[in-house]
Amino acid sequence: MRHRVAHRKLGRTTPHRIALLRNLTTALFERERIRTTLVKAKEVRPFAERLITLARREDDRLHARRLAARDIQDRAVVKKLFDTLGARFAARPGGYTRILRLGPRQGDGAEMALIELVGYEFKSDGKDDKDAKKKPAEKKAAAPKAGKKKAAAKKTAPKKKASAKKSAAKKTARKKD
């Protein structure tokens, strides 16, 4: 029976599990959307939401910031949590995160999920856009090169045929002699 057992152990020792939750939460606040296993996402959710609730505090901001800094080691992320995310969720009474199931992972079949902050909008890094712009240009640039190779091949092909005809003629002449 699991009476009064609150959390999943995730196959880790207590310090390792706490470090994992801290790292996942830091990544979540930094990027606002992360991909992880479903079980880890379900464990990160209350951990992250508790920190967002700290960031919403109005009465004792310094103490709340220090409490959050115990779990988030990156100062830039703590600043973002209190300045941006706390203000974003100020009017929201809870439920700051969303878990989206992705299906099984290819390698081991673990159930994967996206955990994201509510109100997150996907912003392209521009890498995909640059690649998309390069591909048509590469095709256009590659097409003339291929045409040049074909033209060069056509120029060399008659020479090969002529030389093949000459060698065939020589062979027939030798046979006649």
Side-chain angles (χ1 to χ4, degrees), residues 140-158:
K140 290 177 185 175
K145 289 180 182 176
K148 289 178 184 177
K149 288 181 183 177
K150 288 180 182 177
K154 287 179 183 177
K155 289 178 184 176
T156 58

Side-chain angles (χ1 to χ4, degrees), residues 123-136:
K123 298 169 190 158
S124 177
D125 296 340
K127 294 179 183 176
D128 296 333
D129 296 337
K130 290 179 185 175
D131 291 340
K133 290 177 184 175
K134 285 182 182 177
K135 286 182 182 177

Side-chain angles (χ1 to χ4, degrees), residues 44-176:
V44 167
R45 173 183 260 175
F47 195 86
E49 291 194 0
R50 195 171 300 119
L51 291 173
I52 293 172
T53 303
L54 277 175
R56 291 182 52 212
R57 270 195 193 173
E58 292 296 326
D59 55 342
D60 198 1
R61 301 269 303 173
L62 179 62
H63 182 60
R65 187 177 289 261
R66 287 178 176 164
L67 288 175
R70 288 193 305 190
D71 292 324
I72 300 173
Q73 300 297 316
D74 190 354
R75 287 184 181 195
V77 176
V78 172
K79 182 172 176 33
K80 179 180 179 181
L81 174 65
F82 277 82
D83 295 346
T84 308
L85 301 177
R88 184 195 306 176
F89 296 119
R92 191 175 183 94
Y96 314 116
T97 58
R98 171 186 304 127
I99 296 176
L100 304 169
R101 293 174 184 237
L102 296 176
R105 182 164 49 197
Q106 184 71 32
D108 60 356
E111 188 71 25
M112 298 302 289
L114 281 175
I115 182 168
E116 65 183 12
L117 298 176
V118 173
Y120 169 78
E121 291 182 21
F122 178 73
K123 298 169 190 158
S124 177
D125 296 340
K127 294 179 183 176
D128 296 333
D129 296 337
K130 290 179 185 175
D131 291 340
K133 290 177 184 175
K134 285 182 182 177
K135 286 182 182 177
E138 289 174 3
K139 287 180 183 177
K140 290 177 185 175
K145 289 180 182 176
K148 289 178 184 177
K149 288 181 183 177
K150 288 180 182 177
K154 287 179 183 177
K155 289 178 184 176
T156 58
K159 290 180 184 176
K160 288 181 183 177
K161 288 180 183 177
S163 62
K165 287 180 183 178
K166 287 180 185 177
S167 62
K170 287 181 184 176
K171 287 180 184 177
T172 55
R174 286 182 195 161
K175 288 180 183 178
K176 290 179 182 178

Side-chain angles (χ1 to χ4, degrees), residues 18-33:
I18 292 170
L20 172 77
L21 293 174
R22 287 175 175 170
N23 290 335
L24 285 172
T25 304
T26 301
L28 177 64
F29 292 152
E30 184 178 0
R31 297 182 185 97
E32 297 191 19
R33 177 186 220 182

